[in-house]
Amino acid sequence: MLIISNAVHIPDAEIELNAIRAQGAGGQNVNKVSSAVHLRFDIHASSLPPFHKERLLALRDSRITSDGVIVLKAQQYRTQEQNRADALERLRELILAAVKIDKARRPTRPTLGSKTRRLESKSKRGSIKAGRGKVDY
């Protein structure tokens, strides 16, 4: 069972994990050991709350197919167990990131001090540039 938060859990039956051969260099073991893990999670058929489903489906993420299936491939580690744990943790982080609501940004106004400093630096820069002109005798 994958625990997302105190109230949200995903049963193991809803997560499909397949062991596959990892890509890339790996020496003699690479062609005979299936150490990478392919994780598939169907959002529509899951027991997630409706809010979580809506937020996940609204994500523009390449790991989510048009059918609403999350596909993750974990092959960072040498053992299948570590890759399995990594894939489950990445699924958990993806769901948490989708559900997180950012605070609305309130635009701020410049302070009086910052306005005066800006105007002083502009006038100082202007006087420097004015002093670069031709010299009259």
Side-chain angles (χ1 to χ4, degrees):
M1 179 176 283
L2 180 64
I3 300 170
I4 305 297
S5 66
N6 290 339
V8 181
H9 308 289
I10 299 175
D12 290 335
E14 294 180 4
I15 301 171
E16 182 185 328
L17 291 164
N18 296 322
I20 56 172
R21 291 193 187 128
Q23 292 176 324
Q28 296 170 342
N29 253 9
V30 74
N31 292 326
K32 53 185 182 176
V33 177
S34 298
S35 60
V37 172
H38 204 252
L39 179 142
R40 293 178 66 84
F41 177 71
D42 190 359
I43 299 170
H44 295 292
S46 70
S47 61
L48 285 174
F51 175 72
H52 286 64
K53 289 182 183 182
E54 289 172 21
R55 293 295 298 249
L56 275 171
L57 292 169
L59 277 180
R60 290 274 160 243
D61 198 315
S62 61
R63 298 172 290 187
I64 301 175
T65 65
S66 58
D67 301 331
V69 177
I70 298 174
V71 179
L72 295 173
K73 184 176 180 184
Q75 60 179 7
Q76 183 179 354
Y77 300 102
R78 284 177 172 254
T79 64
Q80 186 177 318
E81 292 79 24
Q82 284 179 310
N83 283 327
R84 184 175 188 271
D86 181 43
L88 291 171
E89 183 59 31
R90 283 171 40 203
L91 175 65
R92 182 178 176 274
E93 288 172 1
L94 179 67
I95 294 171
L96 286 174
V99 175
K100 184 181 177 192
I101 300 172
D102 294 329
K103 279 199 284 187
R105 184 190 176 277
R106 289 200 335 250
T108 57
R109 297 176 65 190
T111 61
L112 182 65
S114 67
K115 286 180 183 176
T116 54
R117 283 192 298 272
R118 182 180 65 86
L119 293 175
E120 284 172 6
S121 69
K122 281 174 74 74
S123 62
K124 185 177 175 184
R125 192 78 190 146
S127 66
I128 290 172
K129 288 188 172 190
R132 292 183 187 154
K134 291 187 178 178
V135 179
D136 259 354
Y137 291 110

